[in-house]
Amino acid sequence: MELPTACERLLTDARQYQKIHYPLVTRLFAGELLLLNNGYEEDPPMALPLSASDEPDRFGLQLYHRTATQVDLSGKRVLEVGCGHGGGASYLVRTLGPTSYTGLDLNPAGIAFCRKRHNLPGLEFVPGDAENLPFPDQSFDAVINIESSHCYLDFPRFLAEAARVLRPGGHFLYADARHSYEIAAWQAALANGPMRMLSQRRISAEIARGLEKNLQHSIDVVVYKRIFPAFLHGLVDNIVGTNHMRFCRDLQSGAISYEMYRFAKA
């Protein structure tokens, strides 16, 4: 038997990291982190009307709103791949009126949390792999994927699966980021994929703005959990803040590009 290549080992390590990291995040922070994206804000501010209970998640929800409202989801069957802790799914069901909404995630702890936290008519959560979707062909009118695909080991396979479960004329609504050295391969995969691109917009500036405005909320969630004693709060403040600001600088400089897309299945 041949030894695995360095690339194969790296991909295996990445998958193992995901299996450990996201369940840990769920166990520690799910109640405070209903959304796991970086946030989105426009200039002038988007001012999305929100309920008092949704307000703490404003910037993450604004990214969901902008991505999902690229088409009318009213009366549609919707699949979200990579639903995280379900905050975006809950918001879209409550505000956009889909007939059904299925949230899928590889993290079983996250799915268990979603099922307990988000109890709404027409909303369900299932465990599953983005690269092997557990649904029949042509099951959905729209597939949503937000800030999740950078974790997938075989991105073209995911695109093929998204197209497979979409009905003809259905839409793939997508937003994510890549480092500059990954962009050529990313764009080639999208251009050569099985769906037709209808729109593309770079939203790096809006993501950086949302990240900056969401910083204090992120710090509060991490620091004031009981796992960190008071004498470590300043250190954790600095770590979280430094990581956020580094990502903002990379978005602003072009070292990372964040894009929003709308595709249709022929």
Side-chain angles (χ1 to χ4, degrees):
M1 181 176 65
E2 294 183 1
L3 293 174
T5 65
C7 182
E8 288 170 338
R9 288 197 300 271
L10 180 62
L11 293 177
T12 300
D13 290 346
R15 177 55 62 88
Q16 291 304 315
Y17 171 77
Q18 293 168 33
K19 288 182 176 180
I20 295 170
H21 172 72
Y22 287 107
L24 180 61
V25 169
T26 299
R27 183 164 61 87
L28 295 176
F29 305 122
E32 292 83 6
L33 285 177
L34 296 182
L35 290 100
L36 299 177
N37 67 63
N38 282 299
Y40 175 99
E41 181 60 292
E42 298 174 353
D43 185 18
M46 188 171 165
L48 181 68
L50 293 175
S51 67
S53 60
D54 283 331
E55 188 60 41
D57 297 309
R58 165 169 294 281
F59 302 106
L61 291 177
Q62 288 184 164
L63 178 59
Y64 264 85
H65 186 86
R66 273 289 178 257
T67 304
T69 56
Q70 293 182 100
V71 300
D72 181 5
L73 295 182
S74 177
K76 302 296 175 57
R77 298 164 296 166
V78 180
L79 168 67
E80 181 187 351
V81 180
C83 64
H85 293 161
S90 172
Y91 168 77
L92 295 180
V93 167
R94 287 182 282 116
T95 59
L96 300 187
T99 293
S100 67
Y101 194 109
T102 301
L104 174 140
D105 204 278
L106 188 64
N107 174 12
I111 291 298
F113 171 81
C114 288
R115 287 171 172 171
K116 291 180 180 179
R117 180 64 179 258
H118 308 293
N119 186 15
L120 295 170
L123 175 59
E124 67 170 344
F125 296 95
V126 298
D129 188 342
E131 296 160 28
N132 295 281
L133 295 174
F135 307 108
D137 296 357
Q138 301 183 22
S139 297
F140 300 98
D141 301 301
V143 173
I144 295 173
N145 186 251
I146 295 176
E147 206 170 299
S148 176
S149 72
H150 60 277
C151 295
Y152 304 163
L153 305 186
D154 189 342
F155 181 62
R157 173 63 180 265
F158 161 62
L159 294 177
E161 281 290 276
R164 180 183 66 78
V165 301
L166 276 174
R167 66 165 178 79
H171 289 91
F172 176 49
L173 310 172
Y174 173 57
D176 208 352
R178 294 292 189 275
H179 288 88
S180 57
Y181 58 84
E182 301 173 298
I183 290 174
W186 184 35
Q187 292 180 340
L190 291 168
N192 297 325
M195 294 172 283
R196 179 168 57 95
M197 186 187 301
L198 301 180
S199 65
Q200 174 187 8
R201 183 163 71 93
R202 179 162 296 176
I203 57 171
S204 298
E206 289 82 359
I207 298 297
R209 193 175 295 112
L211 190 62
E212 289 173 345
K213 291 183 176 294
N214 204 38
L215 174 59
Q216 190 58 53
H217 174 63
S218 298
I219 288 175
D220 290 345
V221 167
V222 174
V223 168
Y224 297 109
K225 291 294 289 185
R226 293 179 181 178
I227 58 171
F228 294 111
F231 74 88
L232 288 178
H233 287 183
L235 175 62
V236 179
D237 274 354
N238 289 333
I239 292 172
V240 175
T242 298
N243 287 339
H244 275 61
M245 291 305 101
R246 182 182 298 118
F247 191 68
C248 283
R249 287 195 298 270
D250 287 346
L251 287 166
Q252 292 161 349
S253 70
I256 294 175
S257 181
Y258 206 119
E259 309 282 338
M260 180 183 296
Y261 294 88
R262 177 168 61 103
F263 291 83
K265 178 177 177 178

